[in-house]
Amino acid sequence: MEFVLSELCEQVMTARAGHKPLFVCGGGSKSFYGNHRPVTPQDGHCMLDMSAYRGIINYQPSELVVTARAGTTLVELEAALAEHNQMLAFEPPHFEPSATIGGCVASGLSGPRRMAAGAVRDFVLGARLLDAQGRLLAFGGEVMKNVAGYDVARLLTGSLGIFGAILEVSVKVVPRPAEELTLCLALDEAQALDAFARWRSQPLPISAACWVPAAQPGQPGRCAVRLSGAPPAISAARARIGGEPLDAVAANDWWLALREQTHPFFQGGVPLWRLAVPPTAPALNLGPTLIEWGGGQRWLSARHDPSALRAAVQAAGGHATLFRAAGGAPADGVFHPLSPAVAAITRRLKQEFDPVGLFNPGRLVPEL
């Protein structure tokens, strides 16, 4: 791996000397995400391919921490964890078998379990970064509470590689639940949001909750709730929630289709918007909507004027991201414009790690 690392460093230095951009890539499973632009001949040899820099460096099951190189696939990593009955708590989407842990952290995307377990950034303990000067920088470590000042390892989460190429990450892992059960209820959108609010006020072992609209207008949608934990707690929660249980295979297929966006809702061929709103927000009535995270994340499959949609979502206390464009992206990018304070911090970090604008230009913020 030292040879691969030296090649990556050399490629960075060559691009810097030639004033050429570098587009960091791994498995390519999330190449659609962010302000993506096609590579042009003028960009030269501009793909910094991290897929060869792979492998688990250190895994101590008793310490609940794993350290892996950025090119390690999620399939390989999760298989190693499963051997010890452990898992990544945030249930990251793959989208393709080639998905890597580096891309997972760089994109910052979490799956259905995020509502109960937390986001990707909550589990990143440390990282190594290749910066624009070809330096190898280390942040954090393999234990909790080892950071003073900016927690840069977590700031890299969701940065889409604009500060540099993530080389290695250390991630906290968790034991698999003793038991899981998925319950399904026929509810309309308002009823589902009311149910989510009611369940949030109770000590229920809910690890995922979603609502999917019916295929036919006028019909109730389908609400699915996953319970995870000890058998007595699941039995008590089942009695409170009601609904019909899914068998283990059907339940696994349901949550996998939701995580990987293979559910029919995501196959409409129209722009897919990701709306992050307070779970208490009422129905937004903006078009076909799938609700996740107990009301906190809403997927909107519809064509909208970006400015008008963002204004409506902001009025509800949230923000909107054009997750899959299915056409041209807005002039100001696919992400909700940053607040002035966050934009200033982002610019300062970019100036510190990549002052020449080498890595993933415009991928996160069009002007960076």
Side-chain angles (χ1 to χ4, degrees), residues 152-351:
V152 176
R154 294 187 181 183
L155 287 174
L156 296 176
T157 306
S159 67
L160 288 179
I162 69 167
F163 302 132
I166 297 173
L167 294 171
E168 301 168 9
V169 291
S170 296
V171 180
K172 179 177 173 60
V173 300
V174 298
R176 287 183 175 275
E179 185 175 304
E180 289 194 321
L181 174 69
T182 294
L183 301 171
C184 286
L185 303 90
L187 303 173
D188 62 28
E189 186 175 4
Q191 290 172 331
L193 290 172
D194 287 343
F196 293 153
R198 185 169 64 254
W199 297 334
R200 282 195 301 273
S201 67
Q202 303 175 29
L204 301 173
I206 296 176
S207 62
C210 74
W211 177 81
V212 179
Q216 299 297 326
Q219 298 295 318
R222 190 182 194 191
C223 181
V225 188
R226 184 174 62 194
L227 305 174
S228 303
I234 289 179
S235 179
R238 177 181 177 181
R240 289 191 181 188
I241 293 173
E244 295 296 323
L246 286 180
D247 66 67
V249 174
N252 180 72
D253 290 345
W254 171 268
W255 296 110
L256 188 64
L258 189 66
R259 188 191 80 182
E260 300 301 323
Q261 296 188 349
T262 57
H263 187 280
F265 176 87
F266 299 102
Q267 310 303 313
V270 297
L272 179 66
W273 289 86
R274 178 190 180 197
L275 314 181
V277 296
T280 54
L284 301 177
N285 299 316
L286 295 170
T289 302
L290 184 151
I291 302 175
E292 270 198 277
W293 300 354
Q297 177 168 265
R298 307 188 190 185
W299 298 99
L300 173 65
S301 180
R303 301 187 185 277
H304 274 280
D305 174 74
S307 298
L309 176 61
R310 288 168 177 165
V313 176
Q314 188 166 336
H319 60 268
T321 296
L322 181 55
F323 196 78
R324 295 183 187 267
D332 57 353
V334 301
F335 297 107
H336 202 99
L338 301 176
S339 67
V342 174
I345 292 173
T346 304
R347 284 193 296 269
R348 288 174 61 187
L349 288 169
K350 180 70 170 178
Q351 181 63 31

